[in-house]
Amino acid sequence: MLITLTYAPEPDAGVDATVLGHLLHKHPAKVQSFTAPVGDIQVFYPEATSERCTVAVLLEVDPVGLVRSKRFRGDAGALDHYVNDRPYVASSMLAVALGTVFRTAMTGRSDSYPELAAAPLPLRVEIPVVSTRGDEDDLVRRVFEPCGWTVSEQRIPLDEEHQDWGPSRYSGVTLTGRVRLADALRQLYVLLPVLDDAKHYWVGDDEVGKLERAGEGWLAAHPERDVITRRYLLHQRSLVAAAEGEGSPVPSAPSDAAAPLRVLRADAVLDALHDTGAARVVDMGCGPGALLVRLAKDRSFTRIVGVDVDARSLERAAKALRLDQASDAERARIELLHGSVVYRDERLRDHDAVVLMEVVEHVDPSRLGALEDAVFAGAAPRTVVVTTPNSEHNVLFPALAAGSFRHDDHRFEWTREQFRAWADEVAARHGYTVELRPVGIEHPEHGAPTQLALFRKADASVSQTPSDRAVSPGTPPTPTGSTGFAHGQDAQAVSERRTA
């Protein structure tokens, strides 16, 4: 499947069109290849002149492989599942590809051309084939025009030689308008699966957060917000209610637990902090502040710091914490800092604990050493709490394909043994002991859905429980399923990881 985006500045603007490469963080003179769970992605520029610059994203998928991996949630033995439109129709797979290769551009960050990144640009987007499933009439125009696009839609006939058969549900779509580049990318990320009314991956409660992040700045006032929300969340009523602020999503793990996994995870983190007596806590990669809100309600935490690389996430965290209405004492107690999990930050020293809740799996494996240095050597708290998915538990999610990750932004997911090996090695290098804890309902063979490591300084003046154990050096695990990304994207990905 293919999508192109063209930037053609006005002649009197005095701007070289090839600046698009800087805004997208992809060099116009190079063909770049990426491997993702959805398939092989190629990014290239068919045209790159000073007057006009076009970037193309080509995604190649294996339709037979997708069916056999249960991505269609259908019968892999049925012939009609192998004859499908997935290789060429713009869908959630293309949305994931866009999010993979343009993750930094979607945040609106550009160190070289910040003024252009923040301004509406004359853009043209061409999508050869989109699918409009369901009974919604004129859906392409209804979802794109309120975002500032002029829509040209060409319906594709069922058969060109039998026009009397009528049109298919497929269209070729061209969008033109003056739209901020980051907004354009985020709109495509949301609206392509909305048009298709389907997703190739398991949809859990984290989809609500993804919709909120990608829809920030344009979705709230959209006249078709309800339609977009409903179709993006695959008509799951509990998720739609959560997106509309009317309830909580259903549990994301197949268990009998009354609380969703995200709640059990936060509970486990708070328990670990209480076990160590931490009072001054840093939430690294805090996102929109779900854990910070829990910390703020607990008066045993006297100092709370949230750190994230994404300024917008920090703004959302401030709103969630209602800092604008807080007392002076509360604003002194809670601080939000712009920073990265992979760089040392002197502001984070002299705290009791650092929390990395569902963060490490969003960092490229090549940057895990930088994360380790920033947290364990730079901040060097007496306690570090790390949670991450247990990949062995993934087989219990019936709609999650074998070998796939729970989130399209995960760079890897560790087995229990891989996580133990990494934790042991880190602890040994930096003078910590480490205790591993399960989070969620444990399966007798596949373990709990989430795993937690509680690191404590070996010489810290806190009581040690019998389950604390000394560690010995070992070979750090090599995460599987990782992909290469352009410079700067690994830190940004951390801000996109969790909403609850």
Side-chain angles (χ1 to χ4, degrees):
M1 60 194 76
L2 177 70
I3 187 170
T4 63
L5 184 148
T6 300
Y7 171 46
E10 293 85 353
D12 58 351
V15 177
D16 189 322
T18 58
V19 74
L20 180 64
H22 289 276
L23 299 176
L24 293 174
H25 303 267
K26 297 292 179 289
H27 199 293
K30 296 180 180 179
V31 175
Q32 300 185 51
S33 301
F34 303 86
T35 299
V38 294
D40 296 325
I41 310 168
Q42 309 289 330
V43 179
F44 57 95
Y45 289 76
E47 182 179 15
T49 67
S50 59
E51 294 80 22
R52 180 182 171 94
C53 188
T54 299
V55 64
V57 177
L58 178 66
L59 172 62
E60 296 181 275
V61 301
D62 176 8
V64 174
L66 290 180
V67 174
R68 290 177 175 171
S69 68
K70 300 181 182 179
R71 289 184 183 269
F72 287 123
R73 306 178 178 88
D75 179 8
L79 178 62
D80 58 344
H81 284 287
Y82 289 89
V83 183
N84 58 69
D85 60 8
R86 298 299 87 181
Y88 56 85
V89 170
S91 64
S92 62
M93 287 183 281
L94 185 57
V96 168
L98 292 174
T100 298
V101 299
F102 296 141
R103 183 172 293 111
T104 302
M106 289 172 69
T107 69
R109 181 175 66 83
S110 174
D111 297 334
S112 302
Y113 295 92
E115 69 287 348
L116 288 177
L121 302 177
L123 301 176
R124 178 184 179 92
V125 176
E126 296 181 69
I127 316 168
V129 185
V130 300
S131 169
T132 51
R133 299 174 187 258
D135 299 326
E136 302 286 351
D137 295 329
D138 204 22
L139 187 59
V140 176
R141 294 182 185 277
R142 287 165 52 195
V143 298
F144 279 110
E145 283 187 347
C147 298
W149 297 103
T150 298
V151 178
S152 173
E153 181 180 7
Q154 182 66 43
R155 298 290 290 190
I156 299 173
L158 280 174
D159 192 308
E160 293 182 355
E161 296 183 3
H162 297 84
Q163 297 292 332
D164 56 315
W165 290 2
S168 67
R169 71 166 185 258
Y170 305 106
S171 301
V173 173
T174 300
L175 310 173
T176 55
R178 294 188 64 87
V179 180
R180 183 170 168 262
L181 180 60
D183 290 340
L185 294 173
R186 290 189 289 113
Q187 288 160 12
L188 291 167
Y189 180 83
V190 170
L191 296 179
L192 290 180
V194 164
L195 293 176
D196 194 41
D197 201 21
K199 288 193 174 179
H200 68 283
Y201 56 88
W202 168 70
V203 172
D205 55 7
D206 59 349
E207 290 296 288
V208 176
K210 289 163 62 177
L211 178 61
E212 290 175 348
R213 290 191 298 275
E216 186 173 0
W218 64 272
L219 181 57
H222 198 292
E224 299 291 346
R225 177 181 181 272
D226 291 345
V227 172
I228 292 170
T229 301
R230 187 171 65 251
R231 290 171 72 100
Y232 186 85
L233 298 174
L234 296 188
H235 307 272
Q236 296 189 30
R237 286 182 294 177
S238 62
L239 297 183
V240 173
E244 295 173 349
E246 299 176 0
S248 299
V250 296
S252 59
S255 74
D256 295 328
L261 178 58
R262 71 185 191 284
V263 175
L264 299 176
R265 185 186 301 123
D267 288 345
V269 170
L270 292 173
D271 288 344
L273 294 173
H274 287 142
D275 288 348
T276 64
R280 298 166 58 84
V281 179
V282 177
D283 182 10
M284 290 290 292
C286 64
L291 181 62
L292 293 175
V293 171
R294 295 283 303 271
L295 293 170
K297 292 178 180 178
D298 190 329
R299 306 310 295 184
S300 67
F301 300 114
T302 59
R303 167 74 172 165
I304 301 168
V305 178
V307 182
D308 206 282
V309 73
D310 181 28
R312 291 186 180 181
S313 291
L314 293 175
E315 291 174 1
R316 293 177 62 197
K319 291 180 181 179
L321 292 162
R322 298 182 180 179
L323 292 182
D324 59 333
Q325 305 172 27
S327 65
D328 291 342
E330 191 68 359
R331 285 197 294 268
R333 175 179 173 239
I334 303 172
E335 185 175 9
L336 301 179
L337 300 176
H338 189 253
S340 170
V341 73
V342 295
Y343 295 104
R344 287 197 183 197
D345 190 335
E346 290 299 318
R347 299 172 297 177
L348 306 184
R349 294 190 65 85
D350 302 321
H351 288 82
D352 299 327
V354 169
V355 176
L356 296 162
M357 189 170 81
E358 307 300 283
V359 170
V360 293
E361 64 272 12
H362 292 263
V363 177
D364 195 89
S366 65
R367 301 292 285 160
L368 286 177
L371 179 149
E372 176 186 334
D373 177 75
V375 173
F376 292 89
R382 76 183 192 194
T383 299
V384 179
V385 181
V386 179
T387 74
T388 192
N390 167 25
S391 65
E392 297 170 66
H393 197 88
N394 289 354
V395 298
L396 300 179
F397 296 110
L400 187 63
S404 297
F405 298 150
R406 298 183 197 177
H407 192 288
D408 57 300
D409 182 60
H410 286 184
R411 311 304 173 86
F412 60 87
E413 289 179 359
W414 274 325
T415 65
R416 286 171 289 178
E417 184 55 39
Q418 288 174 321
F419 186 48
R420 178 186 295 274
W422 176 81
D424 283 354
E425 192 69 20
V426 169
R429 277 194 290 267
H430 299 280
Y432 286 80
T433 61
V434 63
E435 173 193 350
L436 299 182
R437 300 179 177 183
V439 178
I441 302 300
E442 284 194 89
H443 185 274
E445 179 181 355
H446 304 296
T450 296
Q451 43 194 342
L452 180 149
L454 174 56
F455 296 85
R456 311 188 207 211
K457 274 285 190 183
D459 58 353
S461 57
V462 294
S463 61
Q464 302 293 309
T465 67
S467 57
D468 290 333
R469 58 185 175 82
V471 298
S472 58
T475 302
T478 300
T480 58
S482 62
T483 57
F485 290 82
H487 175 72
Q489 291 181 346
D490 52 340
Q492 178 58 38
V494 173
S495 71
E496 301 173 347
R497 90 276 189 258
R498 70 190 190 324
T499 61

